[in-house]
Amino acid sequence: MSAATIDGKAFAAGLRAEVARRVALLKERHGLVPGLAVILVGDDPASQVYVRNKGIQTREAGMRSDEIRLPATTGEAELLAHLHRLNADPAIHGILVQLPLPAHIEERAVIATIDPDKDVDGFHPVNVGRLSLGQPGFVPGTPKGCMKLLAATLGDLSGREALVIGRSNIVGKPMAQLLLAANCTVTIAHSRSRDLPALCRRAEILVAAVGRPEMVRGDWIRPGASVIDVGVNRIAAGGGKTRLVGDVAFAEAREVAAAITPVPGGVGPMTIACLLENTLEAACRKAGLPLPE
Ligand code: NDP
């Protein structure tokens, strides 16, 4: 059996088009333009690419995009002052601080300063609490995107046995919360878990968010499982070149699974698309409007 490839790239393009359509309606009916501000501190090359792509896709969706680039020497107080200004700016509905931050800035203080109602990354403790309580809030883009791919692949997830490998605050934990909210039976594995292959073999839904290239082997996968590979790992590809692989050995896993996301082109593109959707929702909530149909 060869698994169906879950085409996250196409799915994300569809979601971005849907967001753009609603943004246009919001503008036309209410004169409201959602605004997203992204702050980048320092010059980490991967973060620069990511922030540039966010800006491009935000503008393509018809939204306002503010990019604030600050030097690596920026002090915490100065960064917090930018956040206070953006919190008070009525034209800005979503605020995102690109992580990681330079070591001299405390990430926790920065995230806690963002207005929870503008926290479109869903990292503020208030939004983390809302997710765990089942209240409306903002869900981080990567796990939100994974859930959309699973829903499109499987429909109702109720009662399914799900395993999330990884317990980070940005992927593993919110992913587990979302699967629980969708009535899955959820197991969270991490670096101290015993017999990971046996845990994997039980999972009808397997989400790998570890950061270890091709760690999950084909014979760990339950036949017919749906596999969501969040990992992004750059490995040597010979001739001085590199290539991206996930946390799952794709060629092996696709012989056993029913559906699997590729890397690249699976989960990755969903993150920004969901961030845009969160920004649209933030603008509508602030204005007390439903999402335009
Ligand atoms: P973290 O490093 O924060 O977390 C990794 C998790 O994997 C930890 O919980 C860790 O366990 C667990 N882990 C490490 N080694 C093992 C092991 N041998 N067996 C079982 N569990 C293990 O990573 P992130 O959650 O931030 O990211 C995970 C991956 O997803 C990365 O490759 C990252 O690049 C990718 N990513 C992709 C995104 C996208 O596509 N848009 C967005 C975000 C991340 P412990 O807690 O015990 O240390």
Side-chain angles (χ1 to χ4, degrees):
M1 185 173 80
S2 190
T5 300
I6 303 172
D7 188 349
K9 197 172 165 191
F11 199 92
L15 179 57
R16 289 198 306 273
E18 179 59 17
V19 170
R21 186 185 70 78
R22 290 178 194 258
V23 167
L25 288 175
L26 201 60
K27 216 180 290 186
E28 184 186 306
R29 292 180 190 161
H30 306 283
L32 177 58
V33 178
L36 173 66
V38 177
I39 302 185
L40 174 61
V41 186
D43 41 24
D44 174 62
S47 293
Q48 282 183 334
V49 172
Y50 199 48
V51 166
R52 193 167 56 238
N53 285 339
K54 278 178 193 160
I56 292 168
Q57 293 184 28
T58 304
R59 285 186 291 275
E60 279 176 0
M63 302 191 201
R64 168 176 163 172
S65 167
D66 284 15
E67 282 166 38
I68 300 157
R69 290 167 188 270
L70 303 172
T73 51
T74 304
E76 187 172 306
E78 189 186 340
L79 176 55
L80 297 189
H82 279 282
L83 289 174
H84 287 302
R85 178 179 58 76
L86 293 168
N87 282 344
D89 185 341
I92 295 298
H93 305 94
I95 303 170
L96 183 157
V97 179
Q98 185 65 41
L99 303 178
L101 288 164
H104 66 277
I105 300 179
E106 203 204 332
E107 196 176 291
R108 206 160 51 167
V110 171
I111 291 171
T113 300
I114 299 172
D115 177 349
D117 294 333
K118 296 191 177 188
D119 168 43
V120 285
D121 246 350
F123 295 161
H124 191 288
V126 165
N127 282 315
V128 176
R130 285 172 178 159
L131 175 60
S132 96
L133 292 169
Q135 296 172 0
F138 293 110
V139 176
T142 302
K144 188 176 181 182
C146 292
M147 286 305 287
K148 285 181 186 284
L149 295 178
L150 281 171
T153 307
L154 292 172
D156 184 12
L157 307 186
S158 284
R160 303 217 190 221
E161 186 92 39
L163 174 71
V164 180
I165 317 177
R167 55 175 166 179
S168 71
N169 291 334
I170 62 167
V171 190
K173 283 182 199 156
M175 187 70 221
Q177 288 288 357
L178 289 167
L179 288 164
L180 187 60
N183 300 315
C184 293
T185 302
V186 185
T187 303
I188 308 173
H190 45 75
S191 66
R192 309 289 174 89
S193 296
R194 267 181 265 151
D195 202 352
L196 187 58
L199 294 174
C200 290
R201 285 187 196 110
R202 278 185 9 209
E204 297 170 86
I205 295 171
L206 194 161
V207 180
V210 182
R212 292 186 179 257
E214 300 181 324
M215 181 186 83
V216 177
R217 310 310 308 187
D219 64 355
W220 298 15
I221 309 274
R222 175 172 167 161
S226 298
V227 178
I228 302 291
D229 190 353
V230 184
V232 181
N233 310 288
R234 192 167 283 285
I235 61 166
K241 295 197 170 145
T242 61
R243 68 187 175 95
L244 292 181
V245 297
D247 290 339
V248 179
F250 183 80
E252 293 175 15
R254 73 183 312 197
E255 296 305 318
V256 189
I260 182 167
T261 56
V263 177
V267 173
M270 292 298 290
T271 300
I272 297 181
C274 288
L275 171 73
L276 300 180
E277 186 181 59
N278 282 354
T279 305
L280 168 64
E281 283 173 13
C284 290
R285 276 186 213 164
K286 185 77 186 168
L289 296 166
L291 276 182
E293 292 301 332

